[in-house]
Amino acid sequence: MIGFFRLVLVVLLLCVVALLSAVITMHFAIHGAEVSVPDFRGLIVADAIRKAASLDLNLSVDNRFYSAEMPAGRVLTQAPAPGAVVRREWRLRVTQSLGPQRIPIPKVIGQPERAATIAIRRAGLDLGNVARMPYAGAPEGAVIAQNPAPDAEGVERPSMSLLVADTANAQADGVVMPDLTGQLFSVAAAAVTHAGLKLAPAINVSASIPSISSGNGAQTPAAPVPPGTVISQSPVAGYRVDASTPIQLAVTH
């Protein structure tokens, strides 16, 4: 009988040892697969990619911006931030500096949308947001405003957003609200007024916009937003509005 109890105790002891061994092994396996994200800011993008690869991390350029402080070709911002602990094979996103703005901003106001798009491409810029709105006194399809303004300096993004005149005669039941985000407040406000709509007092918000989570938990670096830019609107784009609907814009300061 005593031998039987000894056997049971030995079996239980072996089970406990096996369980502890499994827990310890799992602990080291999990933490061994984790990496502390280094600081890539200021590195040449190619060097940052190699450094990330040496840690089994995947680094990709998410966007490019002008910067008067960071030389061209170097990492401007990154996400996740330095020091964050992530799993191996995690995707890191960085923005690349284009250096100081040297490309002049062309004037496309008054041009047909197609001609303006061609001019933007030829200048080495990307076409950003294009909004359309009824505008009295301008032919349909003509550019009535642009952002950045002609010959602007200190531009952050290598892209231009356009506001294009739509059919001047609004329907009896109102017009479809365009997407005014990305436009300068002065431009968006003028468009709302010229469309015969009611402009409510603007909401001033901080220019610092939080990062947006992406699919695998990494975060996309926040894009610089110049002061005076519309970042949200109410009603939202696509909503039908009429002269009695107050249009409210949130603007960075």
Side-chain angles (χ1 to χ4, degrees), residues 133 145 163 180-181 183-194 199 230 247 249:
M133 201 164 205
L163 189 60
L180 297 175
T181 57
Q183 297 286 342
L184 291 175
F185 173 72
S186 57
V187 171
V192 169
T193 302
H194 277 275
L199 184 65
V230 177
I247 310 300
L249 306 175

Side-chain angles (χ1 to χ4, degrees), residues 149-241:
D151 300 320
E153 297 181 354
V155 175
E156 296 283 356
R157 306 183 188 188
S159 64
M160 285 181 60
S161 296
L162 304 177
L163 189 60
V164 180
D166 206 346
T167 306
N169 297 324
Q171 300 295 326
D173 57 346
V175 298
V176 176
M177 186 69 188
D179 184 3
L180 297 175
T181 57
Q183 297 286 342
L184 291 175
F185 173 72
S186 57
V187 171
V192 169
T193 302
H194 277 275
L197 301 175
K198 180 181 178 182
L199 184 65
I203 301 175
N204 292 321
V205 297
S206 171
S208 177
I209 307 301
S211 301
I212 301 173
S213 296
S214 61
N216 64 355
Q219 290 190 324
T220 303
V225 181
T229 301
V230 177
I231 60 169
S232 66
Q233 62 186 62
S234 177
V236 297
Y239 192 88
R240 185 166 290 278
V241 297

Side-chain angles (χ1 to χ4, degrees), residues 16-250:
V16 171
V17 170
L19 181 60
L20 288 175
S21 177
V23 170
I24 293 173
T25 301
M26 184 178 298
H27 173 81
F28 282 105
I30 292 174
H31 290 277
E34 293 178 341
V35 180
S36 177
V37 178
D39 191 350
F40 295 103
R41 293 170 297 183
L43 293 180
I44 296 173
V45 170
D47 293 340
I49 292 175
R50 282 193 290 268
K51 185 174 182 179
S54 69
L55 298 172
D56 292 330
L57 298 173
N58 299 315
L59 186 145
S60 62
V61 176
D62 188 69
N63 218 326
R64 295 172 174 82
F65 299 103
Y66 294 119
S67 172
E69 293 78 25
M70 188 68 70
R74 296 181 180 270
V75 175
L76 187 60
T77 62
Q78 68 177 78
V85 177
V86 299
R87 297 189 301 272
R88 294 186 185 275
E89 303 298 331
W90 197 264
R91 183 185 177 191
L92 308 179
R93 299 168 182 256
V94 301
T95 59
Q96 180 180 344
S97 172
L98 294 173
Q101 175 206 350
R102 292 187 175 90
I103 298 176
I105 304 299
K107 180 180 179 180
V108 297
I109 297 174
Q111 297 182 16
E113 181 183 351
R114 178 175 175 78
T117 300
I118 294 174
I120 291 170
R121 301 291 188 191
R122 285 178 176 172
L125 300 169
D126 297 324
L127 181 63
N129 180 48
V130 177
R132 292 173 173 80
M133 201 164 205
Y135 197 91
E140 182 179 358
V143 176
I144 54 178
Q146 65 179 74
N147 185 26
D151 300 320
E153 297 181 354
V155 175
E156 296 283 356
R157 306 183 188 188
S159 64
M160 285 181 60
S161 296
L162 304 177
L163 189 60
V164 180
D166 206 346
T167 306
N169 297 324
Q171 300 295 326
D173 57 346
V175 298
V176 176
M177 186 69 188
D179 184 3
L180 297 175
T181 57
Q183 297 286 342
L184 291 175
F185 173 72
S186 57
V187 171
V192 169
T193 302
H194 277 275
L197 301 175
K198 180 181 178 182
L199 184 65
I203 301 175
N204 292 321
V205 297
S206 171
S208 177
I209 307 301
S211 301
I212 301 173
S213 296
S214 61
N216 64 355
Q219 290 190 324
T220 303
V225 181
T229 301
V230 177
I231 60 169
S232 66
Q233 62 186 62
S234 177
V236 297
Y239 192 88
R240 185 166 290 278
V241 297
D242 55 32
S244 65
T245 307
I247 310 300
Q248 190 166 57
L249 306 175

